[in-house]
Amino acid sequence: MKWYTFHKKVYHFFYRGVERATMLLDKLLNRNRSAGPHTEQYEWIVKQLSATSSERAHGGYSADWWHELTEAEKDELEAKIWRKYPDDSRLAVFLPKLTHYDGLARLDRDLRNATSISTRVELADVLFRETGEKRYLDVLRHCCSEECGNGILSGYRLVAVALQDYPADPEVEAILRDVYQGSSDGATLTTALIGILHQRGIVHDANDFAELNVLLPKLRHLDMENPDGRMARLDQYLATAT
């Protein structure tokens, strides 16, 4: 199956969870060193803060890591994160968590000034998840219309990746449906489909490779890469599966 095979090749690059796998590998490779006084999340963030762009691990950071840090670690990291962003744009997920800086205001300003579609999607995603304000969802919706080809940086691809694991929200599902209807790229279609199924509760964890590897081969009948009747086939499946 063409779309499924291609999707598996790019899966680890686009989906959240890559950074956790890299952290585990780093821990295993260094398992003989003496344990330090800091949390694992702190050590990983510090390591990434000092890395060059070419040394940075694929993936990113998880906003949930902030809750795993001690208060002392948070105090120590805040200024470093504030200075390092936006050189490392992945740090955007931490800016709303900072207590000594107005991270939300900075991200909002950067979003208004951003010219890169990838930057706009990244910042709008962080701000929408943090605030729930639909104006940020509108930015993501608008980015879908900015098709930069069908490659990695297409508007459809970036938005689908951003929203594929978002909690159930009719407006989020509507955007994912727009992507599913409008894109012609196999990996993007698969990502949008996962997001839609996650919205409906058919996919429980959009980042669970094991769950997806069991489910996706069963959906060949959707014939995603055939645009004729694509949405009708999807809606027929959803009507019977939910």
Side-chain angles (χ1 to χ4, degrees):
M1 187 173 184
K2 182 180 177 183
W3 62 265
Y4 179 62
T5 302
F6 179 74
H7 175 71
K8 288 182 71 177
K9 292 180 180 178
V10 299
Y11 201 90
H12 285 77
F13 180 78
F14 286 108
Y15 287 83
R16 293 178 176 88
V18 175
E19 67 277 2
R20 295 188 182 275
T22 312
M23 285 176 66
L24 177 60
L25 177 61
D26 181 70
K27 183 177 180 180
L28 291 173
L29 292 174
N30 295 279
R31 61 185 178 272
N32 292 325
R33 68 184 178 186
S34 58
H38 293 295
T39 62
E40 182 180 357
Q41 289 78 9
Y42 171 90
E43 292 182 352
W44 176 256
I45 294 170
V46 168
K47 179 179 179 180
Q48 290 296 296
L49 285 173
S50 61
T52 65
S53 57
S54 61
E55 294 171 338
R56 291 171 190 160
H58 288 305
Y61 305 98
S62 168
D64 294 337
W65 294 358
W66 196 254
H67 305 296
E68 303 297 325
L69 301 173
T70 66
E71 292 304 313
E73 289 173 338
K74 293 176 184 177
D75 287 340
E76 183 179 338
L77 286 174
E78 283 207 13
K80 295 178 180 178
I81 289 172
W82 188 257
R83 289 194 302 269
K84 189 69 173 178
Y85 171 85
D87 176 57
D88 184 351
S89 64
R90 303 172 305 162
L91 291 167
V93 297
F94 293 136
L95 262 66
K97 312 296 183 184
L98 306 183
T99 57
H100 303 306
Y101 302 92
D102 193 345
L104 284 174
R106 185 176 183 183
L107 292 178
D108 185 77
R109 181 179 67 250
D110 288 351
L111 175 60
R112 285 184 276 110
N113 295 330
T115 57
S116 162
I117 184 173
S118 59
T119 299
R120 294 204 303 276
V121 170
E122 183 174 38
L123 297 182
D125 178 33
V126 172
L127 287 164
F128 179 51
R129 288 175 184 271
E130 189 66 27
T131 69
E133 294 185 23
K134 293 304 172 72
R135 61 190 176 108
Y136 298 123
L137 195 60
D138 290 338
V139 173
L140 295 173
R141 183 181 292 108
H142 185 266
C143 286
C144 284
S145 65
E146 301 186 34
E147 268 289 87
C148 305
N150 276 311
I152 293 173
L153 295 180
S154 73
Y156 282 144
R157 174 80 66 88
L158 293 169
V159 171
V161 170
L163 295 179
Q164 54 95 26
D165 67 345
Y166 201 81
D169 182 309
E171 292 188 53
V172 170
E173 182 177 340
I175 295 176
L176 289 167
R177 287 177 64 88
D178 287 343
V179 173
Y180 190 76
Q181 183 174 23
S183 180
S184 59
D185 173 67
T188 301
L189 289 168
T190 305
T191 306
L193 176 63
I194 291 170
I196 294 168
L197 299 182
H198 184 256
Q199 288 287 311
R200 296 297 185 94
I202 300 170
V203 167
H204 301 291
D205 185 348
N207 299 309
D208 185 344
F209 300 161
E211 179 184 0
L212 298 176
N213 285 336
V214 170
L215 176 63
L216 291 176
K218 300 177 181 179
L219 303 180
R220 293 185 176 90
H221 64 282
L222 294 180
D223 192 17
M224 292 190 302
E225 295 189 21
N226 179 6
D228 296 333
R230 179 188 292 162
M231 298 308 296
R233 289 191 297 274
L234 172 63
D235 288 335
Q236 183 179 17
Y237 168 74
L238 292 175
T240 58
T242 57

